[in-house]
Amino acid sequence: MTSAWLTWPRPPLAATPREPVVAKAATQRISFSGPQARSLWQPRLERLRHVALAIEFEKVRQGRIPATLVWTDYDGVDALTEQARAIGLDAKPVKASLGYAADWPPEASIDEPKRLLDYAFLIGARPLDASIAEPAADGLAQAAMRFGYPACCARSWANDLRHGGSDPLASLLARDDKAAMPAHVALAVLGLGPLRHAPCSADCLASREGSRAFLDLGRELGFVEEMAWLEEIADWAVDASLVNGIAEITTATFRCTWLSDEGAARARPLRRAVMRPEKRKAAPGEPADSANILTEFGNGFEAAGFESPFAMRSRFSTVVWEQTAALRRATSAVHVGCREGLLLELIAQTKSKLKLYGTEEDAAAAEAARRRLGASLPVLGGAGLEALAALARLVPEGLDLAFVDPKQLGGRDALAAVRAIAKTVIVIGTDRSLHRFKDMNAYAAAMGLALLPGRAARVSAALSPANDRLH
Amino acid sequence: MTVEVRPLGDKCNIKCRYCYQEGIRTAGNVPTRYDLDAIMATLDRLAEPFSLFGGEIMMTRRPDLERLMQLGFDRHGGVGMQTNGTLIEERDIELFRKYRVRIGISIDGPGPLNDARWAGSLPATRRATARIEAVIETLCREGMPPNVIVTLNRMNAAPERLGVLCEWIRFLGSLGVRKLRLHLLEQDETEGGEGLALTAQENLAALRRLRRLEQELPSVQFDIFAEMAAMLRGDDARTSCVFHACDPYATRAVVGVESDGRLGNCGRTNKDGVTHLRAGREAFERQLSLYRTPQAEGGCQGCRFFLACKGNCPGTAIGGDWRMRSVDCPVWFGLFEDIETELQAKGETAISRSERRSDLEAKMIAAWSIGDNPTLHSLIEQVDAP
């Protein structure tokens, strides 16, 4: 095996292309569309690279073209020259170029610069005159024709070279023609054939003939399966574009890209957006302003024992999160001293079928809660015990859960009333209580309460059914 | 390099419409199964610290998630995790503690400020948001404050809402959150009509306000501002990927470990619904092209901030085409100008105003041309060497 890369296109070439081995660059920049595509096509492309080299050498051997140009790294020089000599051809180094840093072998170092270079070899019949790849006195077009270019393509390529071009595909893309780019033209840049010269247009008939001749020779040499792969590739749909000098080809199997010498001045900038699946439309809704949002969060945060509306919202969200299991089991719940109803709203969002109630002594806050929660969720007004008594009458069968801040309850009688209504009492820790007592256990103990053991109690906890002595 | 483990690819339970992964999901390119052994074998081979990522990582089966967490803990002393937070449950908190999981949570604000992270209906969205808020507070109370990612958009950073966002961030600081990452909403032509994106002026105003807030809150850091200042100082050792000449064909800063253990790229440039595999060669066509392309044609030619910015993230490129500079250029340019002015006022020389700038640019272009991507810091040392 050799690490050699055929140039694309065939000579004549620009004196100073941006990348000496565009075919190598483009191939190494292949990004497959998935693992299946890669497992099938990566070895095929690798095989095609070697087959293309063999076919090209055979063309030289048969005298159809006088020579071809191949690049290799330092470690591949011996193998390449041996491959040429094995079929009676000569290999002459004609150029060296600083290779690509990422390709440098790990053991190579600046002390051994020859291993950092890529080498161009002209491969031709003996005796090999290296000047045949140079523009002849009769001009670039004549040189191109010697290397197998049809006359139309030779003229076109010569013109491109004279205008500083070095990348035939980019040149085609930069032209404002609307012709679709056939796959065998677009993917010629990979140096795999069957198109080996720079075509004058995407639909050049002479270039098609040249491609066919390459395939025929390949089959004659026994590469039947490989030529079938090339024919399959020729049927692929491709999207080729050039934007600010960067060419990109996308197929269903892979995409690849390379930096072209076609500068911005000659480029056809891509002005359309990349095609992508249509997305669903965004959530409806006009942004409310800050005042409305803060109202939504709850104005009564200080009275409820919190330092900010954000703290109250965050805490109540955390209470609901902590009590997920209890809420899942429950069918009814009350928030005693519900202020503007934020906790009840958050509970309702989590379990909409739960039958919820609120009590609130402050008439304005109770009214705000009713506005927030709607008519289907009763918020009972009046003093604490009075509201609890009303709740007991409203729900004679009792409730599963009661959420309370013991600080706000007002005494032992109120707690007893809550206990009488609810099977489980959940204590909520506000900023005020948690800052003072540090954690729920300390808070409960200070209030003469005992928490149900067994669960983390960060900001809420169920009261133990044991007798409490609420202070 | 950040290694992102993505057992379920881009699969997510809430599917925010502005999410850069939405194209993949809409195209149906989301795995339904994963090969945990293959994933773990790849992680073994990479031998790098990793983050659990998605999509939504918490959709992974808990026993499998625990195996990944344990691997991260055993090999690297801990593991990162980026989540939307909506699926975290009480039992997960102990896992996080046990395996030293460093959690990042994406949320754009409390309640209605997070409505762009749509969960299918308004009640479902608000319910999801409340769960995220609860998880943040819980993690803070457990001594594991999460990092928070906020994407600026019309629902949380429009002029009439920006004040609320700032106050909420102040509250997060009081809870114990120390680090916030600010993202600009990814803009592209198909999303233009959705009405979520801020204008460049609004984005810039929002970032400037947040930068002032950062100076008021010594315990909270928005990493973006410090990173931009570091880039202007030429100190790019610890700045994030958007400032490091990203190659969308082989993203160096982010390597995805996908459902079958294969390596993937950062998904931000996947605009056509295809998760392309990594190319064999890293290259810098984008930066080389941007440097020589006039600004009027989508390039960065002549921009004094090019060395610091490098066209920013290709996933945010104009028209969704990675070959162009970031559509957010006016925002980054404005912020770089602010920071440059401040550095100069303090007597520091920003590389954007340095006499060595053109020399540094030439060295960087030469390096990119042969596929190398040196740090700015190393180039400055070269230039300064006697």
Side-chain angles (χ1 to χ4, degrees):
Chain A
M1 283 298 200
T2 158
S3 59
W5 297 81
L6 274 176
T7 55
W8 189 80
R10 284 189 189 128
L13 299 170
T16 54
R18 183 172 297 278
E19 177 104 48
V21 204
V22 172
K24 180 180 179 183
T27 304
Q28 291 189 334
R29 295 288 281 157
I30 283 177
S31 167
F32 287 95
S33 58
Q36 286 178 324
R38 181 172 64 184
S39 63
L40 181 64
W41 280 99
Q42 192 171 41
R44 285 186 177 184
L45 296 181
E46 182 68 9
R47 173 74 186 142
L48 284 171
R49 184 162 71 87
H50 296 290
V51 167
L53 205 61
I55 296 173
E56 190 81 347
F57 279 20
E58 180 61 17
K59 269 184 175 279
V60 176
R61 195 188 69 78
Q62 292 181 5
R64 297 193 200 185
I65 51 175
T68 193
L69 195 66
V70 181
W71 283 87
T72 180
D73 58 23
Y74 180 78
D75 292 337
V77 168
D78 288 345
L80 176 66
T81 51
E82 184 52 39
Q83 185 181 359
R85 281 174 191 143
I87 57 170
L89 299 177
D90 199 3
K92 278 200 173 167
V94 291
K95 197 170 184 179
S97 170
L98 190 60
Y100 205 70
D103 298 338
W104 292 345
E107 67 278 12
S109 74
I110 203 72
D111 300 329
E112 207 180 8
K114 65 187 178 189
R115 299 195 69 204
L116 306 181
L117 300 178
D118 282 339
Y119 299 88
F121 279 80
L122 198 66
I123 311 289
R126 296 189 184 107
L128 179 58
D129 175 8
S131 68
I132 58 170
E134 312 240 327
D138 49 355
L140 286 165
Q142 292 303 317
M145 287 172 72
R146 278 202 301 278
F147 278 89
Y149 282 62
C152 54
C153 301
R155 283 195 300 274
S156 164
W157 181 229
N159 190 44
D160 254 14
L161 289 171
R162 274 194 292 271
H163 287 87
S166 69
D167 185 337
L169 182 61
S171 174
L172 284 180
L173 290 167
R175 286 183 216 161
D176 198 18
D177 63 27
K178 305 291 183 204
M181 187 66 69
H184 78 281
V185 176
L187 295 170
V189 69
L190 299 177
L192 310 176
L195 182 59
R196 292 286 307 129
H197 68 266
C200 60
S201 70
D203 52 4
C204 169
L205 287 176
S207 295
R208 280 183 185 276
E209 282 303 314
S211 296
R212 197 166 297 133
F214 183 94
L215 293 168
D216 290 344
L217 181 55
R219 286 193 197 91
E220 283 172 27
L221 293 173
F223 302 123
V224 177
E225 187 180 23
E226 290 84 352
M227 295 305 100
W229 296 339
L230 279 180
E231 285 180 319
E232 182 182 339
I233 290 173
D235 287 336
W236 285 355
V238 299
D239 183 19
S241 61
L242 180 74
V243 173
N244 295 336
I246 305 176
E248 184 174 49
I249 298 170
T250 306
T251 74
T253 304
F254 60 78
R255 59 177 183 172
C256 66
T257 189
W258 68 98
L259 189 62
S260 168
D261 277 342
E262 291 291 334
R266 301 184 67 200
R268 181 181 60 187
L270 188 70
R271 286 289 173 251
R272 63 180 170 80
V274 170
M275 292 297 290
R276 67 190 77 189
E278 191 177 343
K279 296 181 179 181
R280 289 164 297 166
K281 291 299 170 193
E286 279 294 308
D289 63 18
S290 296
N292 287 337
I293 289 173
L294 292 176
T295 301
E296 190 174 332
F297 288 174
N299 285 325
F301 63 91
E302 284 175 307
F306 293 96
E307 289 177 352
S308 71
F310 305 103
M312 183 165 75
R313 188 187 153 79
S314 174
R315 186 65 43 75
F316 285 164
S317 297
T318 309
V319 168
V320 173
W321 185 82
E322 282 188 351
Q323 300 302 328
T324 301
L327 287 166
R328 198 174 290 137
R329 289 190 298 268
T331 58
S332 57
V334 60
H335 183 191
V336 179
C338 69
R339 300 301 305 173
E340 295 177 356
L342 179 60
L343 176 61
L344 289 167
E345 183 184 38
L346 292 167
I347 293 172
Q349 283 171 3
T350 297
K351 191 173 177 185
S352 57
K353 288 182 180 164
L354 204 62
K355 187 64 185 166
L356 293 171
Y357 302 87
T359 71
E360 177 50 53
E361 201 166 327
D362 183 297
E367 190 49 40
R370 290 184 193 108
R371 280 197 301 274
R372 178 194 291 271
L373 300 167
S376 62
L377 199 159
V379 176
L380 307 174
L385 280 171
E386 185 187 324
L388 289 169
L391 181 63
R393 287 193 298 276
L394 186 64
V395 196
E397 70 277 18
L399 299 163
D400 290 326
L401 299 175
F403 291 86
V404 299
D405 173 11
K407 269 284 193 204
Q408 309 271 351
L409 259 185
R412 196 179 306 168
D413 294 344
L415 180 64
V418 173
R419 280 196 181 284
I421 295 170
K423 292 178 189 137
T424 303
V425 179
I426 309 280
V427 180
I428 298 168
T430 61
D431 281 355
R432 195 183 296 147
S433 51
L434 287 176
H435 284 177
R436 183 170 172 196
F437 299 105
K438 303 300 179 199
D439 61 44
M440 290 300 294
N441 283 315
Y443 176 39
M447 300 298 293
L449 303 171
L451 300 180
L452 204 62
R455 279 182 62 88
R458 299 180 196 93
V459 298
S460 66
L463 280 187
S464 164
N467 286 337
D468 298 312
R469 307 175 307 281
L470 185 65
H471 301 318
Chain B
M1 177 171 78
T2 302
V3 177
E4 295 177 346
V5 183
R6 298 167 11 99
L8 289 168
D10 297 311
K11 188 174 183 180
C12 187
N13 61 318
I14 60 169
K15 303 179 181 66
C16 310
R17 284 190 176 82
Y18 65 63
C19 178
Y20 65 89
Q21 297 173 336
E22 189 60 6
I24 299 280
R25 286 189 284 267
T26 307
N29 290 336
V30 175
T32 52
R33 286 177 297 184
Y34 53 85
D35 181 342
L36 193 64
D37 290 335
I39 291 171
M40 292 179 76
T42 302
L43 290 171
D44 262 341
R45 201 171 61 247
L46 288 173
E48 291 271 351
F50 58 90
S51 273
L52 303 170
F53 208 78
E56 174 48 47
I57 187 65
M58 295 302 292
M59 296 182 83
T60 313
R61 288 178 63 243
R62 286 302 191 276
D64 296 337
L65 198 55
E66 184 168 0
R67 281 182 66 192
L68 289 167
M69 288 176 181
Q70 185 166 9
L71 181 73
F73 178 73
D74 290 345
R75 301 288 160 79
H76 310 290
V79 60
M81 185 170 93
Q82 186 59 41
T83 172
N84 64 38
T86 59
L87 299 175
I88 292 176
E89 297 174 6
E90 181 70 48
R91 61 183 169 149
D92 299 319
I93 304 294
E94 268 320 296
L95 284 183
F96 299 159
R97 182 186 307 288
K98 185 176 177 185
Y99 299 115
R100 291 198 193 154
V101 182
R102 301 176 300 277
I103 298 165
I105 289 186
S106 302
I107 180 173
D108 295 342
L113 269 67
N114 198 44
D115 279 354
R117 298 180 64 81
W118 194 243
S121 67
L122 190 59
T125 302
R126 294 291 173 86
R127 181 168 61 240
T129 301
R131 286 187 65 86
I132 307 167
E133 292 177 69
V135 165
I136 292 173
E137 174 156 351
T138 300
L139 289 169
C140 288
R141 289 187 175 280
E142 287 291 329
M144 299 182 282
N147 293 344
V148 173
I149 291 182
V150 174
T151 299
L152 300 181
N153 65 80
R154 191 150 293 285
M155 306 305 280
N156 68 348
E160 62 275 16
R161 289 191 165 197
L162 189 55
V164 179
L165 179 69
C166 290
E167 288 309 305
W168 175 68
I169 289 170
R170 197 184 291 276
F171 162 69
L172 288 184
S174 74
L175 266 184
V177 171
R178 294 287 169 262
K179 285 193 174 173
L180 283 99
R181 171 157 282 275
L182 299 171
H183 284 180
L184 302 186
L185 186 93
E186 193 181 309
Q187 299 176 41
D188 58 59
E189 292 185 6
T190 55
E191 286 175 330
E194 290 188 340
L196 289 176
L198 298 168
T199 64
Q201 290 84 351
E202 287 170 334
N203 267 322
L204 185 55
L207 286 169
R208 282 176 167 155
R209 173 95 177 261
L210 289 162
R211 188 153 176 259
R212 286 198 301 276
L213 178 68
E214 185 186 43
Q215 287 155 2
E216 294 168 19
L217 301 174
S219 64
V220 175
Q221 190 180 31
F222 300 101
D223 43 13
I224 191 69
F225 305 124
E227 288 184 6
M228 293 177 81
M231 290 306 300
L232 285 181
R233 289 189 183 102
D235 175 15
D236 54 352
R238 282 182 295 277
T239 52
S240 54
C241 57
V242 296
F243 301 117
H244 285 273
C246 175
D247 167 19
Y249 271 60
T251 54
R252 179 186 284 193
V254 178
V255 174
V257 178
E258 305 295 332
S259 57
D260 52 2
R262 73 191 145 88
L263 297 181
N265 279 319
C266 171
R268 284 189 172 269
T269 55
N270 294 336
K271 304 299 185 193
D272 54 3
V274 179
T275 307
H276 281 95
L277 308 186
R278 291 174 73 78
R281 179 203 263 199
E282 183 184 35
F284 304 95
E285 301 102 346
R286 179 172 187 257
Q287 291 72 31
L288 292 167
S289 163
L290 290 176
Y291 186 71
R292 71 182 184 184
T293 301
Q295 295 184 29
E297 294 180 28
C300 304
Q301 192 182 75
C303 178
R304 68 181 191 272
F305 297 117
F306 180 73
L307 275 176
C309 174
K310 305 179 186 76
N312 208 264
C313 173
T316 65
I318 296 168
D321 192 317
W322 60 271
R323 294 168 284 192
M324 310 287 264
R325 72 166 184 270
S326 170
V327 72
D328 298 318
C329 170
V331 182
W332 302 128
F333 190 93
L335 278 176
F336 272 126
E337 271 194 321
D338 291 353
I339 297 167
E340 177 191 66
T341 303
E342 288 170 25
L343 289 177
Q344 287 188 305
K346 288 192 279 188
E348 294 186 56
T349 306
I351 54 167
S352 49
R353 292 290 186 188
S354 165
E355 291 172 355
R356 300 171 299 180
R357 177 165 68 87
S358 58
D359 194 13
L360 289 169
E361 286 175 352
K363 284 186 166 13
M364 191 63 97
I365 291 295
W368 285 334
S369 297
I370 59 164
D372 198 10
N373 188 22
T375 61
L376 202 44
H377 180 71
S378 67
L379 291 188
I380 290 170
E381 282 187 332
Q382 269 183 40
V383 171
D384 287 347

